[in-house]
Amino acid sequence: MPADASVPRSAEVVVVGAGPAGAATAWWLARGGIDVVVLDKARFPRPKPCSEYMSPQASRLLDEMGVLAEIENAGAAQLAGMVIRAPNGALIRGVFAGAHRWRGHRDRGLSLQRTLLDPILLDAARRAGARVVEGARVQDVVLDQAGRASGVSLASPDGTTTTLPARLVVGADGLRSVVARRLGLARMSRFPRRIALVTHYAGIAGMGELGEMHVERDGYLGLADVGNGLANVAVVIPASRADELSAGTEAFLQRWIAARPQLRDRFAGAARATPLRTTGPFASRARRAWAPGAALVGDAADFFDPFTGEGIYAALRGGELLAPYAAAALAARSPLGERTALEAYDRARRHEFGGKWLVERMIGAAVAFPTLLDRAATVLSRRPAMADLLVGVTGDFVPASAVLNPAFLARLLLLP
C-alpha cells in the first residue's frame, strides 16, 4: 500500500519512527480503534544496520499481526540456535529446542533483511487502520503550557514545516531518539561503548542453521543467514577504536576478517552484496520510558549491545506491551490519571525486560573481558544443556531466572 501523501491535521497518537517498534505499536493501537499516525523520515524500503534476527518468541507477535507467513514466504532463514567462538577457540553451541522444559512459539528463530521485513510490518499497521507518512522528519516535541507533550513539529514530505497535534506522542525512533532527547529522557551509558560495521555477503562458506558470534580480544564478528542467499555480517569494535576507521571502513572490515584464519578462509570466495554501514556507539537507556503526554518504545527506550541480537523482539513486544497503557492514558480524565497509566507502563516494561537486561549486561561484560568469556566458554562447551538454557534465554522464551540463580552461576564460573 502506498504511503499517505500528506500530514494529517491531528491524531490521538502520533508514533515517531516506522521500524518494528513503531509499526507494532501502531498495529496494536489501531487494532483497538485508536486514531494513529506514524511518521518516519525515511521512505521504505530503506536499509538499516541491524542483526536482522528475530528470536523464536518473536514469531508469536508476528503471528498475532498476521504477517508470519508473509515473512517466511519472503525468504526468511530459520535459525536453530547459536554458536559462540571464544578468544581461546572454545565453542559454545546452544539450540532453542534444547535440553530443557521450555519451548518457544517456534523451535527456531527467523532472520530477514530489514529492507524486506520493515515494509511488511508497516503495511500490517496500515491494514489495521494506522495512517503512515514517510519522508516526514520530526524535529521537535511540542509542549503545552504545563510542559506536557502535545504533538510534534516536523518537516513534511513536501518540505514545509508543520505541527501535528496529538494527545500522546510515542517515541519509536531508535538509538538516537529525537523524542527521548527533546524530553530530556535520553541517557548514554559509559559501558560498553561499541561501534558496529554491518553489511551482507553472498557465498560465505560453511553457513549453517546456527547464528555465529566470533569473539576476539579486539571485538567480535556476527554471522547469520538472512535468506535469499545472503548472510548478515557485523563487526563490532570498542568505540575507542573509532579513529581506525578514518582510513576507510571497507578496508578495516577486510583487514579484520583477513587477520582471523578461521574466518579468512570462509570469506575467500564470498562477495559483499550490500553497502557497508556503520552504527553506534551503543549502550543507551532512557531515564524512564515516559514523560507527561509521551512514551518510549523499542531502542528509543533501551539499547544495550547488539551481541544477543534481540532488538526486533523487544521492539515488537514493547509495542504490544504499551498499547493497553496508552489506551488507559488516552481514556484518563486528568493529568494524574494519565501519569498513573504511563507509570504503570514503565513498571510493566521493567518487569518484562529487567531479567533479560541483566543477562545482556553479564554477556556484555564477558565479551569485554576475554579471560572471563574464555572461562565461561570452556565450561559451556562441556555442558551443552547449560548452553541450551542460556541460548533459550536469549531466544526470549526461557525466563532469565533460569540462569540468574546461584546454582547456574556457580557451575558457569567453576570449571568442571
Side-chain angles (χ1 to χ4, degrees), residues 112-135:
L112 184 68
Q113 284 180 268
R114 291 285 297 273
T115 51
L116 299 175
L117 174 68
D118 288 6
I120 292 174
L121 297 176
L122 198 51
D123 278 348
R126 288 189 178 99
R127 288 193 296 270
R131 293 176 286 173
V132 179
V133 184
E134 302 176 24

Side-chain angles (χ1 to χ4, degrees), residues 384-396:
M386 289 180 64
D388 289 345
L389 201 61
L390 184 59
V391 168
V393 172
T394 70
D396 299 306

Side-chain angles (χ1 to χ4, degrees), residues 194 215-217 219-220 305 307 362-370 373:
R194 295 183 177 131
V215 183
E216 302 289 345
R217 299 188 183 278
Y220 61 85
D305 188 273
F307 189 87
M362 290 173 56
I363 294 173
V367 172
F369 298 98
L373 183 60

Side-chain angles (χ1 to χ4, degrees), residues 401-415:
S401 58
V403 300
L404 295 177
N405 62 75
F408 185 94
L409 295 174
R411 291 194 300 270
L412 182 63
L413 296 176
L414 298 175
L415 291 175

Side-chain angles (χ1 to χ4, degrees), residues 206-269:
M207 293 298 299
E209 62 179 8
L210 299 179
E212 304 177 31
M213 303 301 299
H214 298 261
V215 183
E216 302 289 345
R217 299 188 183 278
D218 59 348
Y220 61 85
L221 178 142
L223 288 176
D225 183 359
V226 293
N228 302 303
L230 297 178
N232 181 289
V233 178
V235 168
V236 182
I237 60 172
S240 59
R241 299 185 60 194
D243 289 347
E244 298 179 40
L245 304 178
S246 59
T249 54
E250 295 181 14
F252 180 91
L253 176 67
Q254 292 170 0
R255 289 195 306 272
W256 204 97
I257 293 171
R260 279 82 186 171
Q262 78 277 12
L263 294 171
R264 180 179 61 230
D265 294 344
R266 294 177 60 186
F267 277 79

Side-chain angles (χ1 to χ4, degrees), residues 75-100:
Q78 299 199 14
L79 302 179
M82 181 175 290
V83 57
I84 302 171
R85 184 185 188 277
N88 66 358
L91 297 178
I92 304 169
R93 295 180 184 272
V95 295
F96 299 124
H100 49 71

Side-chain angles (χ1 to χ4, degrees), residues 1 4 11-15 21-38 64-65 121-132 168 170 319-328 330:
M1 297 175 66
D4 295 345
E12 286 188 282
V13 179
V14 58
V15 177
T25 300
W27 187 88
W28 284 100
L29 291 173
R31 183 173 178 260
I34 294 171
D35 175 34
V36 186
V37 172
V38 184
E64 288 272 4
M65 294 177 68
L121 297 176
L122 198 51
D123 278 348
R126 288 189 178 99
R127 288 193 296 270
R131 293 176 286 173
V132 179
L168 184 70
V170 175
E320 179 190 38
L321 193 65
L322 172 60
Y325 297 101
L330 292 172

